[in-house]
Amino acid sequence: MGFCFSKTKDSKNKRLFAKFKPMEEDFWKSKAIFPDQYLKVLEQRYYALQPEDGLNLEKLQLLIPNVGSMLLSRLLRYFNTNLEDQIDFNGICLIISKFLNAGKNGKMDLIFQLYDLDNDQMLNSSEFGLLIKENKNLFNEGNIRDQSFTRAKFMAWAVDNLKPDQTMSFQIFLRPDQEKKTIEEQKEKIENDQVYIISSKWWNNWTQYVNMGNASPEQQVDAGIHNPQQEFIEINSQQWFARPGPIDNRDIAGEYEEELKVQLKLGYDFEFVGKEAWKNLVSWYGITDKRLEFKRKYDKDKKRVEGYPTIIQAFQTDKNGNVEYKKWFKLKTSEDSTMHDVRIKLFKKFEIKNSTNGSEYLLYKMKINEDWELIQDLDDNITNLNITSGTFFTLTKLQQKPKSKVGNWQLGQKSLIEDPSQKVEKNCLVQRFSEDLKYVILHIEGQSFFDDFQIEIKQNLGAQFSSQIQGRSSKIKYPGLQNLGNTCYMNSALQCLINTRFFFNFLYNERYKNKVQVSNSIVQQLSSLTKELKNTPEPSISPTAFQNTLVKIFPKYKMYEAQDADEFLDDLLNQISKELKGFDTNLDGIIETLFQGDYLTLTRCQNCQLVTDESEQNKIFRLKIQEEVGVFKLRILIFMKLEFQNDDHEQFTLDEMDLLKKTIILQNNADTIKMRDLYQKINSFLNLSQNEYEFAICYKKEIIKTFINIDENQELTNLGIIQNQTLNLYQLGSAYQAQREFEKISKMFNYSSQDFKLNDPINFLDPHNQWKQGKIVQVIQQNPTKYKILYRSQQHNNNEKQFEFIMDKQKIVKFREKIKNHTFEKVPLIHYYFNTFKKQFNLTLKPIILLLPIQSLSLLELKVYIYKQVQRFINIKNFSVQSPFQYSNVSQQEICNFFANPSFPYKIRVLDQNKKCLFCEKIWPPNNITNYHCKGCEEDPILLNFDQFTKPSIILEWQDIKYAKILEKKIDEYDERLLKQLKLQQCLEKSAEDTILTKECKKCSQQTPFRTNSYLSKPPIMLIINLQKYKSNGFQFERYIDFPLNSLDIKDCLQEKETVLYDLYAVINSKKGRDITHYTAYIKKQDEWYEFDDSNVQKIKNVQTKNAYILFYTIVNIPIYSDIQLQDFK
């Protein structure tokens, strides 16, 4: 180890500090003493403290709490590398390694170095006095006088007078059981009725970690002295690997910042902890994003967390009434918060102090897609004013509406804007503007705030945006309904009901008047909503007024409470019927005329033949669907390998198969499904052997699990593969094909064998007469010419050592001439782009897997390999660089120019299994973007060392998202439709079949078997069929039902077996997700079908899907008695 000392002065405190300047090898040596997992967790702990360029003294004390502040300050100044008052991760590793390596003498020597301020190898009386003053706890009891020491004398004196083990020990990590005890003591300690929300997913991982046993329970550990060696003893390697990462609340985050996802359950989706417990967890583990800190009010009386406050947005205005965007706040309010309360919150946030109690300030609110409105009554509360999350508030002294328009962009307004991450138009809300008014920040309706993006405000873009708004009403003929918080069940049912023939006219023409006895009724609000949908120029409207009336009648339908669309539809129809009947409950109205059917159930005693009948009237026909047994369903997302083929004109053409998502059905006579069944199924339609492809499970555009060399007798469920799961399949090709491809690509490059140049990859003979792979980094013009060669080798603990050799030409040969061995690795490739608005790297596109001889490639060869497969993701329209690979005789220079072009869309990173760059060893993506100075480590893979433990992955960092293309999937559900194709007519027929049940016969006076039949005795004009796909345990299952769009004949479920035909006009779809069910509606409009997904409306072609839940049919020939009743509504 090399030492170099200097002295620096703290200008504020007029103190001198010794300085340690490490040599290059000191850094890797300081890390080599640590096990890999300890180093990884230490780095996590470092970033948990949110360093800027490094940790300042205050944060360093949190990391190393039991070292005195004065001594710690000197350690910080001594070991920091480039910073004045902060220390980076390398410096912290130096501190800990010095403690770990040094015994008592080493620690005393370190103290001498810290206080030898003039670096004269002596402690004079003033330096020694400073040591005493700052570290009284270092010395044994007794009088210590000021004196001077040489280094040797100080070491001898310190043996009897210093006790460094008591003050230079530290504990960075608590043992799991200590963490558990600390949090258990603090979890229930709630201060000021405030708690913090934590995802159950992360909490369960942490609980599993802290419940693990200690490594060596029998080992006696001194509780007063801690060092990394003890941490290794007390926390074993298995525990290090089980230690969770930073607190991650993304799975419970809602649409708006500080909002939670709807319908979360305590103990299942989230846990809560008190403030001290939260502070400790964050300091130990960190948090993935500060915006994911959810603080909530706790009601001690009701013992519940108020999880869903209304979150409003607050802005201040200038003296001219213009909204200012430099001060922007999110404020939580409760249902009973008054406008007084809101005003007080704004005064506090905007630091408004006025002797007149701020009476000159007027409070304005603006709901989404509306205009600013003055609050007249400050006693009104959040609920009465129908204020929802996202509503804007501001204060102004002027007697006029605030101004919040920038160019043609208006704060709070919505329009269809292209989502840059998916290249799809979506409903976007103008959330705010940048402080300099150069950018507009947009929020995608119904998506997480993490997806917010910004667009530059250009002079001509405003006009374009204005024309877009005006043109939407003609492009989107039919508006959607905005989701108010888990109200998709309501929106889909309302769209179907409002678009019902006759009933629409009834509502639009207000035919309910003079029939409804109550004010603000459901039918009145539904009529208003119908007219607004018909007349609005907007792409979507809010059903807030209807929902408020609904909740007063049915409290269970309040916002953020997930409900079933069938139950809601039934309650709604019954309530409308009740309101229209008034006091005459026997009067049949529009609901009964249109929707009500008569159902008859006949039972016959098999002993005495007694027949009894029971009739009932229902507005929804609930049809039970049989579950298919003995099958295992999977979805396979297929990525075929892209191939270049020569045609007659010697041009390269791309043989590309579209991205295919295929549903497959596995059936086996045995009770279990094995990998053999899956392999055989894949071979049947792709004609691939099992060694030519790879399976992977992906989550959020990242590969989380691969299946390599799996025994074909393994059961799928034992491998973590479950029913209805999506597997990614990547065609990699055979070993022979991989070798051919390697030869084809390597022939594109002519590597030097004589006249070696700068950056040439070569083979060279090292001083130990072993052939290595390296790169020429300098040509030394001597006689004879010499070459400086860069070579990197793997050291112990996976640390790398970089060597540079000066070589004669005689010891250098052509690349791959002496080292020809290469093995092919399956390497995952993941895509990121830098989000300039959020200042972070985001995952994008879909991951793929490549089969690469990565240890034997030059950088250019690697780029060719990657480009060949990544072309599918490149948006050629926005890619100005012409590919040279369209011709077979491409030159090496053309390839170099192609990849070196400044507008080439991505850069390459090669990472190890710990997501560290194999060249610069930085974690990628970076935890702290402000301290990330990597310019791009695009290095030859021959300089990136791999061994049997390295599991490399490749990151593509896209320069601009406009270059990236979202792959369009082709959906193949052919197998599912062939699964004993179940037609709707078959289900109707089965509903009328005989069933046998045993009950007591009144005539026989004993338990006897009864034969039961159920029929539809009087079919309704509008037949609503609920396809009930429920197992015996109550869980839903998926099954494709073939239902006709026209001429459905229901005679099989009628008692008289007469033909009655129906045409389909609407469908409610129910798609079951991981945590919640999402509902959408398909509706027929002017012979075309549209999907209504809350606010988003689009034309569709395929109506029949496995997600069909409720079918709406209209009768073809209306019965005469009903036709007379409906004359007024035609």
Side-chain angles (χ1 to χ4, degrees), residues 16-42:
L16 292 172
F17 293 86
K19 185 80 173 173
F20 168 61
K21 292 187 176 180
M23 298 175 64
E24 184 65 30
E25 64 180 17
D26 290 329
F27 289 115
W28 69 263
K29 283 183 177 180
S30 70
K31 296 177 182 177
I33 64 171
F34 299 114
D36 287 344
Q37 193 62 20
Y38 180 89
L39 198 62
K40 181 179 178 181
V41 178
L42 179 63

PDB file of all heavy atoms in Angstrom, residues 16-42:
ATOM      1  N   LEU A  16      -6.763  22.051  10.827  1.00  0.00           N
ATOM      2  CA  LEU A  16      -5.997  21.310   9.835  1.00  0.00           C
ATOM      3  C   LEU A  16      -6.379  19.845   9.880  1.00  0.00           C
ATOM      4  O   LEU A  16      -6.688  19.296  10.940  1.00  0.00           O
ATOM      5  CB  LEU A  16      -4.502  21.481  10.107  1.00  0.00           C
ATOM      6  CG  LEU A  16      -3.925  22.890   9.874  1.00  0.00           C
ATOM      7  CD1 LEU A  16      -2.490  22.958  10.362  1.00  0.00           C
ATOM      8  CD2 LEU A  16      -4.001  23.260   8.403  1.00  0.00           C
ATOM      9  N   PHE A  17      -6.338  19.199   8.729  1.00  0.00           N
ATOM     10  CA  PHE A  17      -6.680  17.787   8.637  1.00  0.00           C
ATOM     11  C   PHE A  17      -5.601  17.057   7.836  1.00  0.00           C
ATOM     12  O   PHE A  17      -5.119  17.565   6.819  1.00  0.00           O
ATOM     13  CB  PHE A  17      -8.031  17.576   7.941  1.00  0.00           C
ATOM     14  CG  PHE A  17      -9.200  18.100   8.721  1.00  0.00           C
ATOM     15  CD1 PHE A  17      -9.589  19.429   8.608  1.00  0.00           C
ATOM     16  CD2 PHE A  17      -9.916  17.275   9.569  1.00  0.00           C
ATOM     17  CE1 PHE A  17     -10.670  19.908   9.314  1.00  0.00           C
ATOM     18  CE2 PHE A  17     -10.993  17.747  10.275  1.00  0.00           C
ATOM     19  CZ  PHE A  17     -11.373  19.077  10.161  1.00  0.00           C
ATOM     20  N   ALA A  18      -5.248  15.872   8.303  1.00  0.00           N
ATOM     21  CA  ALA A  18      -4.350  15.015   7.532  1.00  0.00           C
ATOM     22  C   ALA A  18      -5.144  14.390   6.389  1.00  0.00           C
ATOM     23  O   ALA A  18      -6.356  14.189   6.484  1.00  0.00           O
ATOM     24  CB  ALA A  18      -3.760  13.932   8.425  1.00  0.00           C
ATOM     25  N   LYS A  19      -4.429  14.057   5.339  1.00  0.00           N
ATOM     26  CA  LYS A  19      -5.084  13.537   4.135  1.00  0.00           C
ATOM     27  C   LYS A  19      -4.349  12.301   3.645  1.00  0.00           C
ATOM     28  O   LYS A  19      -3.122  12.282   3.564  1.00  0.00           O
ATOM     29  CB  LYS A  19      -5.077  14.626   3.055  1.00  0.00           C
ATOM     30  CG  LYS A  19      -5.824  14.265   1.794  1.00  0.00           C
ATOM     31  CD  LYS A  19      -7.296  14.446   1.976  1.00  0.00           C
ATOM     32  CE  LYS A  19      -8.032  14.233   0.645  1.00  0.00           C
ATOM     33  NZ  LYS A  19      -9.479  14.242   0.814  1.00  0.00           N
ATOM     34  N   PHE A  20      -5.120  11.254   3.343  1.00  0.00           N
ATOM     35  CA  PHE A  20      -4.570  10.005   2.825  1.00  0.00           C
ATOM     36  C   PHE A  20      -4.865   9.936   1.336  1.00  0.00           C
ATOM     37  O   PHE A  20      -6.017  10.098   0.916  1.00  0.00           O
ATOM     38  CB  PHE A  20      -5.225   8.832   3.562  1.00  0.00           C
ATOM     39  CG  PHE A  20      -4.965   7.492   2.934  1.00  0.00           C
ATOM     40  CD1 PHE A  20      -3.674   7.006   2.812  1.00  0.00           C
ATOM     41  CD2 PHE A  20      -6.014   6.708   2.477  1.00  0.00           C
ATOM     42  CE1 PHE A  20      -3.447   5.763   2.248  1.00  0.00           C
ATOM     43  CE2 PHE A  20      -5.789   5.472   1.912  1.00  0.00           C
ATOM     44  CZ  PHE A  20      -4.499   4.992   1.804  1.00  0.00           C
ATOM     45  N   LYS A  21      -3.832   9.719   0.537  1.00  0.00           N
ATOM     46  CA  LYS A  21      -4.028   9.611  -0.912  1.00  0.00           C
ATOM     47  C   LYS A  21      -3.687   8.191  -1.335  1.00  0.00           C
ATOM     48  O   LYS A  21      -2.516   7.827  -1.422  1.00  0.00           O
ATOM     49  CB  LYS A  21      -3.152  10.619  -1.659  1.00  0.00           C
ATOM     50  CG  LYS A  21      -3.578  12.063  -1.434  1.00  0.00           C
ATOM     51  CD  LYS A  21      -2.795  13.014  -2.311  1.00  0.00           C
ATOM     52  CE  LYS A  21      -3.296  14.432  -2.137  1.00  0.00           C
ATOM     53  NZ  LYS A  21      -2.544  15.392  -2.979  1.00  0.00           N
ATOM     54  N   PRO A  22      -4.712   7.394  -1.588  1.00  0.00           N
ATOM     55  CA  PRO A  22      -4.465   5.987  -1.907  1.00  0.00           C
ATOM     56  C   PRO A  22      -3.915   5.803  -3.315  1.00  0.00           C
ATOM     57  O   PRO A  22      -4.148   6.620  -4.202  1.00  0.00           O
ATOM     58  CB  PRO A  22      -5.851   5.348  -1.785  1.00  0.00           C
ATOM     59  CG  PRO A  22      -6.787   6.458  -2.106  1.00  0.00           C
ATOM     60  CD  PRO A  22      -6.147   7.707  -1.578  1.00  0.00           C
ATOM     61  N   MET A  23      -3.195   4.724  -3.501  1.00  0.00           N
ATOM     62  CA  MET A  23      -2.795   4.308  -4.832  1.00  0.00           C
ATOM     63  C   MET A  23      -3.956   3.542  -5.469  1.00  0.00           C
ATOM     64  O   MET A  23      -4.907   3.150  -4.783  1.00  0.00           O
ATOM     65  CB  MET A  23      -1.538   3.438  -4.757  1.00  0.00           C
ATOM     66  CG  MET A  23      -0.328   4.175  -4.175  1.00  0.00           C
ATOM     67  SD  MET A  23       1.098   3.113  -3.957  1.00  0.00           S
ATOM     68  CE  MET A  23       1.456   2.667  -5.655  1.00  0.00           C
ATOM     69  N   GLU A  24      -3.857   3.301  -6.751  1.00  0.00           N
ATOM     70  CA  GLU A  24      -4.954   2.666  -7.472  1.00  0.00           C
ATOM     71  C   GLU A  24      -5.301   1.301  -6.889  1.00  0.00           C
ATOM     72  O   GLU A  24      -6.461   0.928  -6.755  1.00  0.00           O
ATOM     73  CB  GLU A  24      -4.574   2.519  -8.956  1.00  0.00           C
ATOM     74  CG  GLU A  24      -5.679   1.966  -9.845  1.00  0.00           C
ATOM     75  CD  GLU A  24      -6.875   2.904  -9.929  1.00  0.00           C
ATOM     76  OE1 GLU A  24      -6.671   4.141  -9.815  1.00  0.00           O
ATOM     77  OE2 GLU A  24      -7.992   2.410 -10.095  1.00  0.00           O
ATOM     78  N   GLU A  25      -4.271   0.540  -6.496  1.00  0.00           N
ATOM     79  CA  GLU A  25      -4.522  -0.817  -6.011  1.00  0.00           C
ATOM     80  C   GLU A  25      -5.214  -0.823  -4.647  1.00  0.00           C
ATOM     81  O   GLU A  25      -5.824  -1.817  -4.250  1.00  0.00           O
ATOM     82  CB  GLU A  25      -3.218  -1.595  -5.925  1.00  0.00           C
ATOM     83  CG  GLU A  25      -2.237  -1.029  -4.913  1.00  0.00           C
ATOM     84  CD  GLU A  25      -0.948  -1.828  -4.856  1.00  0.00           C
ATOM     85  OE1 GLU A  25      -0.669  -2.612  -5.798  1.00  0.00           O
ATOM     86  OE2 GLU A  25      -0.234  -1.686  -3.857  1.00  0.00           O
ATOM     87  N   ASP A  26      -5.123   0.289  -3.902  1.00  0.00           N
ATOM     88  CA  ASP A  26      -5.738   0.330  -2.575  1.00  0.00           C
ATOM     89  C   ASP A  26      -7.252   0.160  -2.653  1.00  0.00           C
ATOM     90  O   ASP A  26      -7.870  -0.387  -1.734  1.00  0.00           O
ATOM     91  CB  ASP A  26      -5.407   1.649  -1.866  1.00  0.00           C
ATOM     92  CG  ASP A  26      -3.938   1.721  -1.469  1.00  0.00           C
ATOM     93  OD1 ASP A  26      -3.356   0.655  -1.197  1.00  0.00           O
ATOM     94  OD2 ASP A  26      -3.381   2.829  -1.446  1.00  0.00           O
ATOM     95  N   PHE A  27      -7.848   0.644  -3.745  1.00  0.00           N
ATOM     96  CA  PHE A  27      -9.304   0.565  -3.844  1.00  0.00           C
ATOM     97  C   PHE A  27      -9.777  -0.876  -3.987  1.00  0.00           C
ATOM     98  O   PHE A  27     -10.684  -1.317  -3.286  1.00  0.00           O
ATOM     99  CB  PHE A  27      -9.798   1.415  -5.022  1.00  0.00           C
ATOM    100  CG  PHE A  27      -9.691   2.885  -4.790  1.00  0.00           C
ATOM    101  CD1 PHE A  27      -8.843   3.662  -5.552  1.00  0.00           C
ATOM    102  CD2 PHE A  27     -10.417   3.498  -3.792  1.00  0.00           C
ATOM    103  CE1 PHE A  27      -8.735   5.021  -5.339  1.00  0.00           C
ATOM    104  CE2 PHE A  27     -10.319   4.861  -3.559  1.00  0.00           C
ATOM    105  CZ  PHE A  27      -9.475   5.622  -4.334  1.00  0.00           C
ATOM    106  N   TRP A  28      -9.159  -1.622  -4.918  1.00  0.00           N
ATOM    107  CA  TRP A  28      -9.643  -2.998  -5.075  1.00  0.00           C
ATOM    108  C   TRP A  28      -9.222  -3.876  -3.905  1.00  0.00           C
ATOM    109  O   TRP A  28      -9.924  -4.809  -3.534  1.00  0.00           O
ATOM    110  CB  TRP A  28      -9.226  -3.576  -6.429  1.00  0.00           C
ATOM    111  CG  TRP A  28      -7.770  -3.863  -6.652  1.00  0.00           C
ATOM    112  CD1 TRP A  28      -6.868  -3.073  -7.278  1.00  0.00           C
ATOM    113  CD2 TRP A  28      -7.075  -5.057  -6.278  1.00  0.00           C
ATOM    114  NE1 TRP A  28      -5.637  -3.673  -7.315  1.00  0.00           N
ATOM    115  CE2 TRP A  28      -5.735  -4.902  -6.718  1.00  0.00           C
ATOM    116  CE3 TRP A  28      -7.424  -6.235  -5.625  1.00  0.00           C
ATOM    117  CZ2 TRP A  28      -4.760  -5.876  -6.522  1.00  0.00           C
ATOM    118  CZ3 TRP A  28      -6.469  -7.209  -5.424  1.00  0.00           C
ATOM    119  CH2 TRP A  28      -5.140  -7.028  -5.871  1.00  0.00           C
ATOM    120  N   LYS A  29      -8.079  -3.542  -3.266  1.00  0.00           N
ATOM    121  CA  LYS A  29      -7.688  -4.308  -2.080  1.00  0.00           C
ATOM    122  C   LYS A  29      -8.642  -4.055  -0.919  1.00  0.00           C
ATOM    123  O   LYS A  29      -8.921  -4.955  -0.127  1.00  0.00           O
ATOM    124  CB  LYS A  29      -6.259  -3.949  -1.674  1.00  0.00           C
ATOM    125  CG  LYS A  29      -5.188  -4.582  -2.543  1.00  0.00           C
ATOM    126  CD  LYS A  29      -3.798  -4.254  -2.033  1.00  0.00           C
ATOM    127  CE  LYS A  29      -2.735  -4.949  -2.854  1.00  0.00           C
ATOM    128  NZ  LYS A  29      -1.366  -4.634  -2.379  1.00  0.00           N
ATOM    129  N   SER A  30      -9.132  -2.811  -0.812  1.00  0.00           N
ATOM    130  CA  SER A  30     -10.048  -2.498   0.289  1.00  0.00           C
ATOM    131  C   SER A  30     -11.370  -3.245   0.145  1.00  0.00           C
ATOM    132  O   SER A  30     -12.053  -3.488   1.136  1.00  0.00           O
ATOM    133  CB  SER A  30     -10.307  -0.986   0.335  1.00  0.00           C
ATOM    134  OG  SER A  30     -11.094  -0.578  -0.769  1.00  0.00           O
ATOM    135  N   LYS A  31     -11.719  -3.604  -1.091  1.00  0.00           N
ATOM    136  CA  LYS A  31     -12.971  -4.338  -1.317  1.00  0.00           C
ATOM    137  C   LYS A  31     -12.756  -5.845  -1.343  1.00  0.00           C
ATOM    138  O   LYS A  31     -13.697  -6.606  -1.150  1.00  0.00           O
ATOM    139  CB  LYS A  31     -13.606  -3.892  -2.636  1.00  0.00           C
ATOM    140  CG  LYS A  31     -14.021  -2.428  -2.647  1.00  0.00           C
ATOM    141  CD  LYS A  31     -14.582  -2.012  -4.002  1.00  0.00           C
ATOM    142  CE  LYS A  31     -14.938  -0.541  -4.004  1.00  0.00           C
ATOM    143  NZ  LYS A  31     -15.424  -0.084  -5.336  1.00  0.00           N
ATOM    144  N   ALA A  32     -11.511  -6.264  -1.612  1.00  0.00           N
ATOM    145  CA  ALA A  32     -11.234  -7.696  -1.747  1.00  0.00           C
ATOM    146  C   ALA A  32     -11.453  -8.463  -0.452  1.00  0.00           C
ATOM    147  O   ALA A  32     -11.678  -9.672  -0.466  1.00  0.00           O
ATOM    148  CB  ALA A  32      -9.793  -7.903  -2.237  1.00  0.00           C
ATOM    149  N   ILE A  33     -11.375  -7.767   0.699  1.00  0.00           N
ATOM    150  CA  ILE A  33     -11.532  -8.460   1.988  1.00  0.00           C
ATOM    151  C   ILE A  33     -12.990  -8.789   2.274  1.00  0.00           C
ATOM    152  O   ILE A  33     -13.289  -9.559   3.179  1.00  0.00           O
ATOM    153  CB  ILE A  33     -10.959  -7.614   3.139  1.00  0.00           C
ATOM    154  CG1 ILE A  33     -11.763  -6.321   3.284  1.00  0.00           C
ATOM    155  CG2 ILE A  33      -9.498  -7.314   2.929  1.00  0.00           C
ATOM    156  CD1 ILE A  33     -11.398  -5.532   4.518  1.00  0.00           C
ATOM    157  N   PHE A  34     -13.918  -8.194   1.516  1.00  0.00           N
ATOM    158  CA  PHE A  34     -15.341  -8.396   1.787  1.00  0.00           C
ATOM    159  C   PHE A  34     -15.901  -9.537   0.954  1.00  0.00           C
ATOM    160  O   PHE A  34     -15.583  -9.644  -0.230  1.00  0.00           O
ATOM    161  CB  PHE A  34     -16.153  -7.134   1.463  1.00  0.00           C
ATOM    162  CG  PHE A  34     -15.777  -5.928   2.254  1.00  0.00           C
ATOM    163  CD1 PHE A  34     -15.205  -4.828   1.640  1.00  0.00           C
ATOM    164  CD2 PHE A  34     -16.010  -5.874   3.609  1.00  0.00           C
ATOM    165  CE1 PHE A  34     -14.865  -3.711   2.356  1.00  0.00           C
ATOM    166  CE2 PHE A  34     -15.681  -4.761   4.344  1.00  0.00           C
ATOM    167  CZ  PHE A  34     -15.099  -3.672   3.719  1.00  0.00           C
ATOM    168  N   PRO A  35     -16.770 -10.349   1.512  1.00  0.00           N
ATOM    169  CA  PRO A  35     -17.564 -11.240   0.660  1.00  0.00           C
ATOM    170  C   PRO A  35     -18.439 -10.406  -0.279  1.00  0.00           C
ATOM    171  O   PRO A  35     -18.849  -9.292   0.058  1.00  0.00           O
ATOM    172  CB  PRO A  35     -18.433 -12.010   1.668  1.00  0.00           C
ATOM    173  CG  PRO A  35     -17.715 -11.892   2.967  1.00  0.00           C
ATOM    174  CD  PRO A  35     -17.025 -10.563   2.943  1.00  0.00           C
ATOM    175  N   ASP A  36     -18.728 -10.930  -1.460  1.00  0.00           N
ATOM    176  CA  ASP A  36     -19.463 -10.166  -2.471  1.00  0.00           C
ATOM    177  C   ASP A  36     -20.799  -9.655  -1.954  1.00  0.00           C
ATOM    178  O   ASP A  36     -21.178  -8.507  -2.195  1.00  0.00           O
ATOM    179  CB  ASP A  36     -19.708 -11.040  -3.718  1.00  0.00           C
ATOM    180  CG  ASP A  36     -18.430 -11.241  -4.504  1.00  0.00           C
ATOM    181  OD1 ASP A  36     -17.474 -10.484  -4.273  1.00  0.00           O
ATOM    182  OD2 ASP A  36     -18.385 -12.166  -5.341  1.00  0.00           O
ATOM    183  N   GLN A  37     -21.539 -10.530  -1.235  1.00  0.00           N
ATOM    184  CA  GLN A  37     -22.871 -10.135  -0.808  1.00  0.00           C
ATOM    185  C   GLN A  37     -22.811  -9.046   0.255  1.00  0.00           C
ATOM    186  O   GLN A  37     -23.657  -8.149   0.287  1.00  0.00           O
ATOM    187  CB  GLN A  37     -23.662 -11.351  -0.294  1.00  0.00           C
ATOM    188  CG  GLN A  37     -25.145 -11.125  -0.113  1.00  0.00           C
ATOM    189  CD  GLN A  37     -25.834 -10.781  -1.419  1.00  0.00           C
ATOM    190  OE1 GLN A  37     -25.327 -11.055  -2.489  1.00  0.00           O
ATOM    191  NE2 GLN A  37     -27.001 -10.144  -1.324  1.00  0.00           N
ATOM    192  N   TYR A  38     -21.780  -9.105   1.118  1.00  0.00           N
ATOM    193  CA  TYR A  38     -21.621  -8.042   2.124  1.00  0.00           C
ATOM    194  C   TYR A  38     -21.381  -6.708   1.438  1.00  0.00           C
ATOM    195  O   TYR A  38     -21.958  -5.683   1.797  1.00  0.00           O
ATOM    196  CB  TYR A  38     -20.457  -8.373   3.058  1.00  0.00           C
ATOM    197  CG  TYR A  38     -20.232  -7.326   4.126  1.00  0.00           C
ATOM    198  CD1 TYR A  38     -20.893  -7.399   5.344  1.00  0.00           C
ATOM    199  CD2 TYR A  38     -19.381  -6.246   3.915  1.00  0.00           C
ATOM    200  CE1 TYR A  38     -20.703  -6.436   6.325  1.00  0.00           C
ATOM    201  CE2 TYR A  38     -19.183  -5.280   4.884  1.00  0.00           C
ATOM    202  CZ  TYR A  38     -19.848  -5.378   6.095  1.00  0.00           C
ATOM    203  OH  TYR A  38     -19.658  -4.413   7.045  1.00  0.00           O
ATOM    204  N   LEU A  39     -20.515  -6.730   0.418  1.00  0.00           N
ATOM    205  CA  LEU A  39     -20.204  -5.504  -0.308  1.00  0.00           C
ATOM    206  C   LEU A  39     -21.460  -4.960  -0.989  1.00  0.00           C
ATOM    207  O   LEU A  39     -21.704  -3.750  -1.010  1.00  0.00           O
ATOM    208  CB  LEU A  39     -19.119  -5.791  -1.346  1.00  0.00           C
ATOM    209  CG  LEU A  39     -18.367  -4.582  -1.912  1.00  0.00           C
ATOM    210  CD1 LEU A  39     -17.611  -3.859  -0.813  1.00  0.00           C
ATOM    211  CD2 LEU A  39     -17.416  -5.037  -3.013  1.00  0.00           C
ATOM    212  N   LYS A  40     -22.267  -5.862  -1.535  1.00  0.00           N
ATOM    213  CA  LYS A  40     -23.502  -5.457  -2.217  1.00  0.00           C
ATOM    214  C   LYS A  40     -24.473  -4.803  -1.234  1.00  0.00           C
ATOM    215  O   LYS A  40     -25.064  -3.750  -1.512  1.00  0.00           O
ATOM    216  CB  LYS A  40     -24.157  -6.679  -2.865  1.00  0.00           C
ATOM    217  CG  LYS A  40     -25.433  -6.381  -3.619  1.00  0.00           C
ATOM    218  CD  LYS A  40     -25.981  -7.654  -4.248  1.00  0.00           C
ATOM    219  CE  LYS A  40     -27.284  -7.376  -4.980  1.00  0.00           C
ATOM    220  NZ  LYS A  40     -27.846  -8.610  -5.578  1.00  0.00           N
ATOM    221  N   VAL A  41     -24.625  -5.403  -0.049  1.00  0.00           N
ATOM    222  CA  VAL A  41     -25.556  -4.862   0.943  1.00  0.00           C
ATOM    223  C   VAL A  41     -25.001  -3.569   1.540  1.00  0.00           C
ATOM    224  O   VAL A  41     -25.754  -2.641   1.845  1.00  0.00           O
ATOM    225  CB  VAL A  41     -25.848  -5.903   2.040  1.00  0.00           C
ATOM    226  CG1 VAL A  41     -26.767  -5.339   3.103  1.00  0.00           C
ATOM    227  CG2 VAL A  41     -26.483  -7.149   1.428  1.00  0.00           C
ATOM    228  N   LEU A  42     -23.686  -3.501   1.702  1.00  0.00           N
ATOM    229  CA  LEU A  42     -23.062  -2.265   2.192  1.00  0.00           C
ATOM    230  C   LEU A  42     -23.329  -1.122   1.211  1.00  0.00           C
ATOM    231  O   LEU A  42     -23.641   0.003   1.608  1.00  0.00           O
ATOM    232  CB  LEU A  42     -21.559  -2.471   2.365  1.00  0.00           C
ATOM    233  CG  LEU A  42     -20.748  -1.257   2.843  1.00  0.00           C
ATOM    234  CD1 LEU A  42     -21.192  -0.824   4.232  1.00  0.00           C
ATOM    235  CD2 LEU A  42     -19.259  -1.560   2.813  1.00  0.00           C
TER     236      LEU A  42
END
